Amino acid sequence: MSARRLLTALSLLVLGSTAGAAGTATEPTHRPDNMMAVPSPTTPQTAIFAGGCFWCIEADFEKLPGVIAVESGYTAGQTVNPTYEQVSAGGTGHTEAVRVRYDAQKVSYSQLVEYFWRHIDPTVKDRQFCDVGSQYRSGIYWQNDAERKIVESSRDALLKSGKIARIETELQPASTFYLAEEYHQDYYKKNPVRYAYYRSGCGRDIRVQNLWGSR
């Protein structure tokens, strides 16, 4: 069993014990969410990214000023209402993703895209760091034409800069976003020791620093 799946199993055991003691159900639930309409500039907006383990990319985005909240989930697949077990087995076509809710008056979509690039490894296909498989592929999923233009322009500028030689990150229109089970939400806050162990062991920060330098 991989370190990631072992940590998930341990989290479920703890979650089950706590819920059992309280006399409540332990079955995780999640629901599909589509946020395709362009919201008013005065209301929180959303952006969808996939950067490997959603525990990590969620933690990264929640450090960015202007971000209101980040939700972990699954997107860009075929199976309806997939579970973590199904997605992690690689048979649903989904990738682990996050939906970022942000205040557009404090941080722009363009800034989110630039921030995202520098927290992943866009040079690899169907993996991120120690996690291998299409369920860990990186992606940016635009929700309207304005976002598409920003994403494509950012990609082109990055390639032109010569900083990296190729980009394997998937750029696609957004499809159904399914919220992941509750125990995955804010995992880094709920399980800080296990999360730190996984992130360090996966080599994420070392690879990002080698690729992009100090952020």
Side-chain angles (χ1 to χ4, degrees):
M1 180 181 289
S2 69
R4 172 82 188 285
R5 299 196 73 168
L6 176 59
L7 290 175
T8 299
L10 289 171
S11 296
L12 281 172
L13 285 173
V14 173
L15 180 66
S17 299
T18 303
T24 58
T26 62
E27 183 67 23
T29 59
H30 53 284
R31 60 182 174 81
D33 258 316
N34 277 328
M35 302 289 292
M36 300 298 289
V38 179
S40 165
T42 60
T43 62
Q45 299 190 31
T46 63
I48 300 173
F49 302 95
C53 170
F54 47 26
W55 301 343
C56 296
I57 201 69
E58 177 182 331
D60 289 337
F61 268 114
E62 288 193 344
K63 295 180 177 70
L64 182 63
V67 168
I68 298 168
V70 185
E71 300 164 300
S72 290
Y74 317 112
T75 198
Q78 296 82 44
T79 302
V80 176
N81 201 35
T83 65
Y84 172 72
E85 289 73 18
Q86 290 174 316
V87 174
S88 63
T92 70
H94 292 85
T95 185
E96 291 195 8
V98 295
R99 182 171 59 191
V100 180
R101 297 183 183 275
Y102 66 100
D103 183 343
Q105 295 183 332
K106 295 180 180 179
V107 62
S108 68
Y109 182 76
S110 178
Q111 289 173 314
L112 292 177
V113 171
E114 296 304 318
Y115 184 85
F116 169 74
W117 288 128
R118 286 159 178 78
H119 287 78
I120 67 162
D121 181 353
T123 69
V124 294
K125 182 177 177 63
D126 289 338
R127 71 174 299 163
Q128 280 294 288
F129 313 102
C130 67
D131 293 315
V132 180
S134 64
Q135 66 271 37
Y136 299 110
R137 68 190 184 274
S138 61
I140 306 177
Y141 302 98
W142 45 269
Q143 300 175 93
N144 53 62
D145 197 53
E147 288 186 358
R148 178 187 63 79
K149 291 177 180 177
I150 289 171
V151 170
E152 292 178 351
S153 176
S154 176
R155 174 202 58 194
D156 294 346
L158 190 55
L159 288 171
K160 186 177 180 180
S161 73
K163 180 67 176 178
I164 55 178
R166 68 184 186 279
I167 291 178
E168 298 288 353
T169 300
E170 183 173 76
L171 308 181
Q172 298 287 345
S175 57
T176 303
F177 180 92
Y178 294 94
L179 284 175
E181 294 83 350
E182 180 59 30
Y183 64 87
H184 285 302
Q185 308 300 330
D186 284 324
Y187 185 91
Y188 75 103
K189 294 179 181 177
K190 298 173 182 174
N191 302 278
V193 175
R194 292 173 186 161
Y195 169 75
Y197 169 79
Y198 164 76
R199 182 158 186 149
S200 175
C202 203
R204 188 179 188 107
D205 295 320
I206 292 174
R207 173 58 180 158
V208 166
Q209 184 171 4
N210 289 341
L211 187 64
W212 300 106
S214 300
R215 298 192 295 271

